[in-house]
Amino acid sequence: QVQLVESGGGLVQAGSSLRLSCAASGLTLSRYDMGWFRQAPGKEREFVASIRRSDGYRVYSDSVKGRFTISRDNAKNTVNLQMNSLKPEDTAVYYCAAKAAVYDYWGQGTQVTVSS
């Protein structure tokens, strides 16, 4: 059974940092492009960052560029999202997803709340 499980969310103050992790079972993450997405209350889910399986190429949304870093640890079969200089507008449920051709597999999400 394929499962992605996010962890590391929480309640922090603006300017703080958090590190989210996405652990996989039933699939080898190194074989997939991986992405992080988020959904704030009342808003649609939006892309945050991705990392390509072939060469590690990273893409970020403009709203997080320079503050967030996506990385993968193939030995641990995890993908991480280091979030620095957090802002209240970063408050959302964060999801990781694995992509072969499309984002086929999704985690259940982890809540990140940033207070001002």
Side-chain angles (χ1 to χ4, degrees), residues 4 10 31 34 41 44 51 64 67:
L4 297 177
R31 298 176 181 174
M34 295 299 299
E44 293 188 354
I51 184 166
V64 307
R67 300 187 298 121

Side-chain angles (χ1 to χ4, degrees), residues 3 8 13 17 36 38-39 43 53 57-58 64-67 71-72 76-77 79 81 86 94 97-98 105-106:
Q3 196 172 18
Q13 290 188 330
S17 298
W36 284 95
R38 68 187 182 186
Q39 187 167 19
K43 296 187 177 181
R53 63 182 178 270
Y57 179 73
R58 297 168 172 85
V64 307
K65 198 173 297 182
R67 300 187 298 121
S71 63
R72 62 165 84 231
K76 294 182 178 180
N77 206 28
V79 174
L81 185 68
L86 283 162
Y94 284 72
Y105 304 106
W106 292 81

